[in-house]
Amino acid sequence: MSDWLVTQSPPVGRRPRALSPLREHLRDTFWFAPTAAMVSVFVVWLGAQALDTAIVDALRDEGDYEALDELLRFAGDAKVVVSAVGSAMMTFIGVVFSISLVAVQMASGQFTPRVVRLFVRSRITKATFAVFLATFVLTLLVLTAFDTADDPRNVTTLPLVQSILTLCMVALSLLLFVLYVNSTLRLMRISHVIARIATESFRAIASMPPPASGADTPEPGPATAWVPHEGRAGVLRDVHIARLVRVARRHGVVLRLIPRIGDFVVPGTPLLAVHGGAAPPPGALRYTTSVGVERTYHQDLGFGLRQLCDIALRALSPGINDPTTAVQALDRIVQFLAALSRQPLDVSLHRDRGGTVRLVQPVPGWTELVDLGFTEVRRCALGNPQVSRRMLAGLDDLLLLARADRREPLLRHRELLHQAIDESAPNPTDRAFALRPDRQGIG
């Protein structure tokens, strides 16, 4: 390995703490939040039921049967409301989320199928679904707590606090429904989708470890052992960095990840190279890597850029023909590359508490990121002067920001775009118009 450079996050204030793989995987699931909400509402219901029982017992001990009689009438009215809420909630859930899934399907067909991931990771979506289900479960539990006795002297419990809690959950459901509709409508607007992708991409940049001086990063030497991938084939989603660092420190070795995050790995192929000693036992490396069916933003520096390119390519396809959307995607591509234009790339080094490098993780280099951002879009930009003008303006901006040793891929794409337009636009006026840099495409 010739270059031991480290990825550095852009200056965005305090560097966020990297999520553990478990927390990141829970964010990619849709079942955890609703399940946790239903369990939580059951625990809250037990507490409310105990409080209601204590209130009734206190009134009976004081002999205040008039108050109990009033509470019985209140409970009768509350039962009607709770029954109505319980019968309507599941219908409400089904209608709302059926419409939402149709909207997401339309968005994925127009932009890219990867936008469904934004819907799954949306906090407001999970919160809404969780509160809706929790409200329904709460209504069922509250209905079981109503006492059938009509005589205040025979009443053992009245769901007063439980009924108030149900009404509060209904109010919260209505508030979240409004926020959810707003969030779903934003998801159908391409500018917000692109902004969300860019935000997740910058989080991946910010989660990279800080750079270190070259004197502290010696070459690891030749590999002394190899660790093959065991398990199912799939995309390498992420690695448990902290656990791998602990294993390497415990065994006095340096581990080097062979595939990059986002690569497709096959059982039996090399996963980790060991430098400086024997390979750790298989049990020590268990649950240190995660393989799935799709890429994630977590630790994957190029995934957001890949999605932006997909949106631009879909917009430039003959079936959609929306160059303005491609320009919006190029805006974020240029922004992403500008943030990395002076940052060290190629590999990421992770150290133990003593400052010793224990894990070497490959990340995309500058040339690879530039090629990913411009190659496919540049080939589809022919015949769309709006896109070619925006791309030329973006390349010019990046040439001003990039270090001297990083200008070659930018100049190469600029020259290839000039050649392609020269060949496709024989009219000198059209050619000059398509080659005029413009940050808005065509105004």
Side-chain angles (χ1 to χ4, degrees), residues 301-318:
L301 192 60
F303 184 49
L305 198 59
R306 176 69 269 170
Q307 292 186 80
L308 293 174
C309 293
D310 289 344
I311 292 176
L313 294 174
R314 182 70 64 91
L316 293 175
S317 63

Side-chain angles (χ1 to χ4, degrees), residues 95-420:
V95 172
V96 169
F97 280 88
S98 296
I99 296 174
S100 301
L101 291 177
V102 171
V104 172
Q105 184 178 9
M106 293 176 59
S108 65
Q110 184 175 0
F111 306 142
T112 171
R114 263 68 65 182
V115 300
V116 178
R117 183 179 185 80
L118 299 178
F119 178 82
V120 174
R121 289 173 64 91
S122 172
R123 289 187 176 92
I124 187 63
T125 301
K126 295 178 182 178
T128 304
F129 194 44
V131 171
F132 281 7
L133 289 179
T135 303
F136 175 71
V137 172
L138 181 61
T139 57
L140 297 181
L141 295 173
V142 172
L143 287 174
T144 63
F146 282 95
D147 203 322
T148 58
D150 296 331
D151 190 348
R153 293 176 175 80
N154 299 328
V155 172
T156 58
T157 182
L158 291 173
L160 307 176
V161 177
Q162 300 171 60
S163 299
I164 296 174
L165 180 61
T166 302
L167 295 178
C168 293
M169 290 292 292
V170 171
L172 180 60
S173 299
L174 295 176
L175 175 61
L176 286 175
F177 171 68
V178 174
L179 297 177
Y180 173 73
V181 171
N182 179 68
S183 176
T184 303
L185 292 177
R186 287 167 63 93
L187 186 62
M188 299 178 65
R189 298 165 60 183
I190 185 59
S191 57
H192 293 283
V193 172
I194 292 176
R196 284 283 301 277
I197 294 174
T199 300
E200 295 286 352
S201 300
F202 277 102
R203 288 176 182 171
I205 298 175
S207 65
M208 303 300 291
S213 60
D216 297 330
T217 56
E219 289 285 348
T224 55
W226 302 88
V227 177
H229 169 59
E230 298 179 356
R232 60 176 181 174
V235 175
L236 183 61
R237 292 160 54 94
D238 52 41
V239 296
H240 200 305
I241 295 173
R243 187 173 298 174
L244 284 172
V245 169
R246 287 197 300 267
V247 170
R249 179 178 58 84
R250 189 180 305 120
H251 293 82
V253 297
V254 177
L255 298 177
R256 178 166 56 89
L257 189 65
I258 304 300
R260 285 198 315 226
I261 302 298
D263 287 355
F264 192 88
V265 293
V266 178
T269 56
L271 181 65
L272 291 167
V274 184
H275 300 266
L285 297 174
R286 187 174 301 169
Y287 305 120
T288 56
T289 59
S290 173
V291 174
V293 297
E294 63 178 351
R295 298 167 67 176
T296 68
Y297 293 104
H298 188 216
Q299 301 179 5
D300 195 339
L301 192 60
F303 184 49
L305 198 59
R306 176 69 269 170
Q307 292 186 80
L308 293 174
C309 293
D310 289 344
I311 292 176
L313 294 174
R314 182 70 64 91
L316 293 175
S317 63
I320 296 180
N321 193 22
D322 183 11
T324 302
T325 296
V327 168
Q328 290 179 297
L330 280 173
D331 292 339
R332 298 297 182 171
I333 291 174
V334 173
Q335 179 192 10
F336 182 82
L337 293 175
L340 295 174
S341 59
R342 293 182 178 272
Q343 306 299 326
L345 293 168
D346 291 331
V347 298
S348 175
L349 305 181
H350 303 276
R351 304 167 181 272
D352 58 17
R353 296 178 180 177
T356 304
V357 175
R358 293 299 183 185
L359 176 64
V360 182
Q361 180 182 355
V363 296
W366 171 251
T367 301
E368 295 171 287
L369 292 173
V370 171
D371 290 341
L372 174 59
F374 291 119
T375 300
E376 296 170 302
V377 181
R378 172 176 51 79
R379 292 179 176 177
C380 295
L382 301 181
N384 289 286
Q386 183 178 0
V387 180
S388 63
R389 288 159 64 100
R390 178 62 186 100
M391 184 176 292
L392 286 172
L395 290 170
D396 290 344
D397 290 339
L398 291 174
L399 285 170
L400 295 175
L401 297 173
R403 302 194 313 240
D405 59 335
R406 291 189 172 180
R407 294 175 181 172
E408 187 277 329
L410 300 173
L411 293 172
R412 171 166 50 85
H413 282 284
R414 199 176 191 280
E415 180 61 27
L416 289 174
L417 183 59
H418 272 269
Q419 294 178 3

